[in-house]
Amino acid sequence: MEPPQNKLIQLLKKKGTGATMGKSLSAYELNEFEQLLMSDEGNLTTKATLLTALLTLKPTPDESEWLQKVKQSPANYVPEELMPLLPYITPTDSFLKLIHQVISHQHLTEPEFLKAMDALFNPALPEHYKAAFLEAERLKRETEVENTTCLLDFINRSQHHVVNLPILIDIANPYDGFTRMPNLSPFLAALLGSIGIPTLLHGLYDIGPKYGITVRKLLKASGQAQALPIRETLTRLSNNYCAWGYIDQHQSFPELYD
């Protein structure tokens, strides 16, 4: 028998991958999700993410019928922890209010999005609410204001160091490591460094949903078990015999890494 969490992930991959990539759930699949929702098994965050996808995307007739059942008797279909995500449940928490706005396709202002960012980085808030917000944002499609606000907030929260170099190339691969070609970044960085062009790589070892080949994995395979301290890496950038290095996300942005 397939584990409940595996089935939840399958349903989520079908419905919650994106506004254009996602597909609808059949009546049979909705019945499966209904049983999984009220079960003690399966991850609550996965359940919240899939429920958010059903609430955010335009429903099919089968999905509309299921959502109508939920509206008429929410306690019979949705666990207590996820009830506040439902659009007809009045939110009292400020973060939940923002989640409701996004689920209903309302774009957030800069101050509103900054409040959401504070909530995302607040370890005291439930993970399933954070997942619901991120899923709803992805399915709604982020505005330029929302994306810019997120980027600037990330910059402000991350670590910063000054290097006395006339130029520094920063190669930023997708952090999930997914690519349809060989990951040549470490070799490119070494080549650039060898001709006097300091080059910095950054990333982390492993991240979903693709779990691809990252720079960190390649460095580990080559014998570098741990990322060097940031100061040592920055010193290497000024070394004419090396002039390249790698900084891991757990060093540069521990709050996001956590």
Side-chain angles (χ1 to χ4, degrees), residues 233-250:
T233 297
L234 299 182
T235 300
R236 287 162 63 98
L237 295 176
S238 304
N239 186 331
N240 291 332
Y241 298 100
C242 180
W244 74 278
Y246 168 84
I247 293 178
D248 198 77
Q249 189 189 77
H250 83 270

PDB file of all heavy atoms in Angstrom, residues 233-250:
ATOM      1  N   THR A 233      37.572  32.338   1.961  1.00  0.00           N
ATOM      2  CA  THR A 233      37.146  32.356   0.553  1.00  0.00           C
ATOM      3  C   THR A 233      37.426  33.716  -0.081  1.00  0.00           C
ATOM      4  O   THR A 233      37.920  33.803  -1.210  1.00  0.00           O
ATOM      5  CB  THR A 233      35.642  32.039   0.451  1.00  0.00           C
ATOM      6  OG1 THR A 233      35.413  30.717   0.940  1.00  0.00           O
ATOM      7  CG2 THR A 233      35.164  32.119  -0.992  1.00  0.00           C
ATOM      8  N   LEU A 234      37.133  34.790   0.655  1.00  0.00           N
ATOM      9  CA  LEU A 234      37.375  36.131   0.117  1.00  0.00           C
ATOM     10  C   LEU A 234      38.862  36.390  -0.065  1.00  0.00           C
ATOM     11  O   LEU A 234      39.267  37.081  -1.011  1.00  0.00           O
ATOM     12  CB  LEU A 234      36.755  37.179   1.042  1.00  0.00           C
ATOM     13  CG  LEU A 234      35.231  37.097   1.231  1.00  0.00           C
ATOM     14  CD1 LEU A 234      34.731  38.224   2.123  1.00  0.00           C
ATOM     15  CD2 LEU A 234      34.511  37.132  -0.116  1.00  0.00           C
ATOM     16  N   THR A 235      39.694  35.842   0.816  1.00  0.00           N
ATOM     17  CA  THR A 235      41.142  35.964   0.660  1.00  0.00           C
ATOM     18  C   THR A 235      41.607  35.244  -0.605  1.00  0.00           C
ATOM     19  O   THR A 235      42.466  35.744  -1.341  1.00  0.00           O
ATOM     20  CB  THR A 235      41.873  35.391   1.887  1.00  0.00           C
ATOM     21  OG1 THR A 235      41.468  36.127   3.046  1.00  0.00           O
ATOM     22  CG2 THR A 235      43.381  35.507   1.718  1.00  0.00           C
ATOM     23  N   ARG A 236      41.027  34.091  -0.877  1.00  0.00           N
ATOM     24  CA  ARG A 236      41.384  33.331  -2.069  1.00  0.00           C
ATOM     25  C   ARG A 236      41.066  34.105  -3.350  1.00  0.00           C
ATOM     26  O   ARG A 236      41.750  33.961  -4.365  1.00  0.00           O
ATOM     27  CB  ARG A 236      40.634  31.995  -2.090  1.00  0.00           C
ATOM     28  CG  ARG A 236      41.148  30.976  -1.087  1.00  0.00           C
ATOM     29  CD  ARG A 236      40.131  29.875  -0.856  1.00  0.00           C
ATOM     30  NE  ARG A 236      39.865  29.093  -2.067  1.00  0.00           N
ATOM     31  CZ  ARG A 236      40.438  27.932  -2.338  1.00  0.00           C
ATOM     32  NH1 ARG A 236      41.301  27.398  -1.499  1.00  0.00           N
ATOM     33  NH2 ARG A 236      40.132  27.269  -3.441  1.00  0.00           N
ATOM     34  N   LEU A 237      40.029  34.936  -3.304  1.00  0.00           N
ATOM     35  CA  LEU A 237      39.662  35.698  -4.500  1.00  0.00           C
ATOM     36  C   LEU A 237      40.764  36.667  -4.914  1.00  0.00           C
ATOM     37  O   LEU A 237      40.876  37.028  -6.090  1.00  0.00           O
ATOM     38  CB  LEU A 237      38.362  36.477  -4.258  1.00  0.00           C
ATOM     39  CG  LEU A 237      37.099  35.642  -4.040  1.00  0.00           C
ATOM     40  CD1 LEU A 237      35.915  36.546  -3.729  1.00  0.00           C
ATOM     41  CD2 LEU A 237      36.791  34.781  -5.259  1.00  0.00           C
ATOM     42  N   SER A 238      41.566  37.105  -3.957  1.00  0.00           N
ATOM     43  CA  SER A 238      42.663  38.036  -4.242  1.00  0.00           C
ATOM     44  C   SER A 238      43.966  37.314  -4.571  1.00  0.00           C
ATOM     45  O   SER A 238      44.993  37.964  -4.814  1.00  0.00           O
ATOM     46  CB  SER A 238      42.882  38.953  -3.032  1.00  0.00           C
ATOM     47  OG  SER A 238      41.695  39.640  -2.694  1.00  0.00           O
ATOM     48  N   ASN A 239      43.932  35.989  -4.576  1.00  0.00           N
ATOM     49  CA  ASN A 239      45.132  35.190  -4.854  1.00  0.00           C
ATOM     50  C   ASN A 239      45.250  34.936  -6.347  1.00  0.00           C
ATOM     51  O   ASN A 239      44.386  34.312  -6.956  1.00  0.00           O
ATOM     52  CB  ASN A 239      45.022  33.857  -4.089  1.00  0.00           C
ATOM     53  CG  ASN A 239      46.284  33.024  -4.195  1.00  0.00           C
ATOM     54  OD1 ASN A 239      47.012  33.101  -5.180  1.00  0.00           O
ATOM     55  ND2 ASN A 239      46.536  32.202  -3.185  1.00  0.00           N
ATOM     56  N   ASN A 240      46.331  35.430  -6.938  1.00  0.00           N
ATOM     57  CA  ASN A 240      46.505  35.287  -8.382  1.00  0.00           C
ATOM     58  C   ASN A 240      46.606  33.833  -8.828  1.00  0.00           C
ATOM     59  O   ASN A 240      46.403  33.520 -10.004  1.00  0.00           O
ATOM     60  CB  ASN A 240      47.751  36.041  -8.846  1.00  0.00           C
ATOM     61  CG  ASN A 240      47.579  37.543  -8.730  1.00  0.00           C
ATOM     62  OD1 ASN A 240      46.458  38.050  -8.812  1.00  0.00           O
ATOM     63  ND2 ASN A 240      48.666  38.267  -8.515  1.00  0.00           N
ATOM     64  N   TYR A 241      46.934  32.928  -7.886  1.00  0.00           N
ATOM     65  CA  TYR A 241      47.063  31.520  -8.232  1.00  0.00           C
ATOM     66  C   TYR A 241      45.743  30.758  -8.067  1.00  0.00           C
ATOM     67  O   TYR A 241      45.662  29.580  -8.369  1.00  0.00           O
ATOM     68  CB  TYR A 241      48.146  30.860  -7.372  1.00  0.00           C
ATOM     69  CG  TYR A 241      49.504  31.459  -7.598  1.00  0.00           C
ATOM     70  CD1 TYR A 241      50.036  32.393  -6.713  1.00  0.00           C
ATOM     71  CD2 TYR A 241      50.268  31.118  -8.718  1.00  0.00           C
ATOM     72  CE1 TYR A 241      51.277  32.960  -6.932  1.00  0.00           C
ATOM     73  CE2 TYR A 241      51.510  31.691  -8.947  1.00  0.00           C
ATOM     74  CZ  TYR A 241      52.018  32.604  -8.044  1.00  0.00           C
ATOM     75  OH  TYR A 241      53.244  33.175  -8.266  1.00  0.00           O
ATOM     76  N   CYS A 242      44.740  31.449  -7.572  1.00  0.00           N
ATOM     77  CA  CYS A 242      43.445  30.784  -7.356  1.00  0.00           C
ATOM     78  C   CYS A 242      42.323  31.673  -7.893  1.00  0.00           C
ATOM     79  O   CYS A 242      41.768  31.410  -8.940  1.00  0.00           O
ATOM     80  CB  CYS A 242      43.249  30.485  -5.875  1.00  0.00           C
ATOM     81  SG  CYS A 242      41.683  29.679  -5.509  1.00  0.00           S
ATOM     82  N   ALA A 243      41.987  32.719  -7.140  1.00  0.00           N
ATOM     83  CA  ALA A 243      41.040  33.767  -7.561  1.00  0.00           C
ATOM     84  C   ALA A 243      39.617  33.269  -7.819  1.00  0.00           C
ATOM     85  O   ALA A 243      38.892  33.851  -8.609  1.00  0.00           O
ATOM     86  CB  ALA A 243      41.579  34.509  -8.785  1.00  0.00           C
ATOM     87  N   TRP A 244      39.242  32.183  -7.154  1.00  0.00           N
ATOM     88  CA  TRP A 244      37.832  31.802  -7.213  1.00  0.00           C
ATOM     89  C   TRP A 244      37.462  31.082  -5.928  1.00  0.00           C
ATOM     90  O   TRP A 244      38.329  30.579  -5.216  1.00  0.00           O
ATOM     91  CB  TRP A 244      37.528  30.937  -8.433  1.00  0.00           C
ATOM     92  CG  TRP A 244      38.025  29.515  -8.355  1.00  0.00           C
ATOM     93  CD1 TRP A 244      39.295  29.089  -8.626  1.00  0.00           C
ATOM     94  CD2 TRP A 244      37.286  28.343  -7.997  1.00  0.00           C
ATOM     95  NE1 TRP A 244      39.389  27.729  -8.449  1.00  0.00           N
ATOM     96  CE2 TRP A 244      38.169  27.241  -8.073  1.00  0.00           C
ATOM     97  CE3 TRP A 244      35.959  28.118  -7.614  1.00  0.00           C
ATOM     98  CZ2 TRP A 244      37.768  25.939  -7.784  1.00  0.00           C
ATOM     99  CZ3 TRP A 244      35.551  26.818  -7.326  1.00  0.00           C
ATOM    100  CH2 TRP A 244      36.454  25.744  -7.418  1.00  0.00           C
ATOM    101  N   GLY A 245      36.168  31.057  -5.622  1.00  0.00           N
ATOM    102  CA  GLY A 245      35.735  30.406  -4.390  1.00  0.00           C
ATOM    103  C   GLY A 245      34.236  30.193  -4.364  1.00  0.00           C
ATOM    104  O   GLY A 245      33.514  30.628  -5.270  1.00  0.00           O
ATOM    105  N   TYR A 246      33.794  29.525  -3.314  1.00  0.00           N
ATOM    106  CA  TYR A 246      32.375  29.179  -3.156  1.00  0.00           C
ATOM    107  C   TYR A 246      31.918  29.567  -1.757  1.00  0.00           C
ATOM    108  O   TYR A 246      32.619  29.322  -0.767  1.00  0.00           O
ATOM    109  CB  TYR A 246      32.173  27.676  -3.366  1.00  0.00           C
ATOM    110  CG  TYR A 246      30.809  27.180  -2.958  1.00  0.00           C
ATOM    111  CD1 TYR A 246      29.725  27.277  -3.820  1.00  0.00           C
ATOM    112  CD2 TYR A 246      30.588  26.606  -1.691  1.00  0.00           C
ATOM    113  CE1 TYR A 246      28.471  26.817  -3.456  1.00  0.00           C
ATOM    114  CE2 TYR A 246      29.337  26.150  -1.315  1.00  0.00           C
ATOM    115  CZ  TYR A 246      28.279  26.257  -2.204  1.00  0.00           C
ATOM    116  OH  TYR A 246      27.042  25.817  -1.835  1.00  0.00           O
ATOM    117  N   ILE A 247      30.727  30.183  -1.669  1.00  0.00           N
ATOM    118  CA  ILE A 247      30.116  30.509  -0.383  1.00  0.00           C
ATOM    119  C   ILE A 247      28.750  29.838  -0.324  1.00  0.00           C
ATOM    120  O   ILE A 247      27.928  29.993  -1.230  1.00  0.00           O
ATOM    121  CB  ILE A 247      29.977  32.033  -0.192  1.00  0.00           C
ATOM    122  CG1 ILE A 247      31.363  32.677  -0.077  1.00  0.00           C
ATOM    123  CG2 ILE A 247      29.153  32.352   1.050  1.00  0.00           C
ATOM    124  CD1 ILE A 247      31.337  34.186   0.075  1.00  0.00           C
ATOM    125  N   ASP A 248      28.512  29.080   0.743  1.00  0.00           N
ATOM    126  CA  ASP A 248      27.262  28.353   0.890  1.00  0.00           C
ATOM    127  C   ASP A 248      26.185  29.234   1.506  1.00  0.00           C
ATOM    128  O   ASP A 248      26.484  30.167   2.264  1.00  0.00           O
ATOM    129  CB  ASP A 248      27.481  27.121   1.775  1.00  0.00           C
ATOM    130  CG  ASP A 248      26.367  26.108   1.621  1.00  0.00           C
ATOM    131  OD1 ASP A 248      26.359  25.380   0.604  1.00  0.00           O
ATOM    132  OD2 ASP A 248      25.499  26.042   2.508  1.00  0.00           O
ATOM    133  N   GLN A 249      24.916  28.917   1.199  1.00  0.00           N
ATOM    134  CA  GLN A 249      23.825  29.732   1.727  1.00  0.00           C
ATOM    135  C   GLN A 249      23.783  29.711   3.252  1.00  0.00           C
ATOM    136  O   GLN A 249      23.378  30.706   3.866  1.00  0.00           O
ATOM    137  CB  GLN A 249      22.485  29.255   1.164  1.00  0.00           C
ATOM    138  CG  GLN A 249      21.332  30.188   1.490  1.00  0.00           C
ATOM    139  CD  GLN A 249      19.996  29.606   1.122  1.00  0.00           C
ATOM    140  OE1 GLN A 249      19.462  28.742   1.809  1.00  0.00           O
ATOM    141  NE2 GLN A 249      19.441  30.068   0.019  1.00  0.00           N
ATOM    142  N   HIS A 250      24.190  28.615   3.881  1.00  0.00           N
ATOM    143  CA  HIS A 250      24.152  28.587   5.345  1.00  0.00           C
ATOM    144  C   HIS A 250      25.129  29.597   5.942  1.00  0.00           C
ATOM    145  O   HIS A 250      24.991  29.982   7.102  1.00  0.00           O
ATOM    146  CB  HIS A 250      24.443  27.171   5.864  1.00  0.00           C
ATOM    147  CG  HIS A 250      25.892  26.818   5.967  1.00  0.00           C
ATOM    148  ND1 HIS A 250      26.599  26.238   4.930  1.00  0.00           N
ATOM    149  CD2 HIS A 250      26.784  26.962   6.982  1.00  0.00           C
ATOM    150  CE1 HIS A 250      27.844  26.034   5.317  1.00  0.00           C
ATOM    151  NE2 HIS A 250      27.986  26.457   6.551  1.00  0.00           N
TER     152      HIS A 250
END
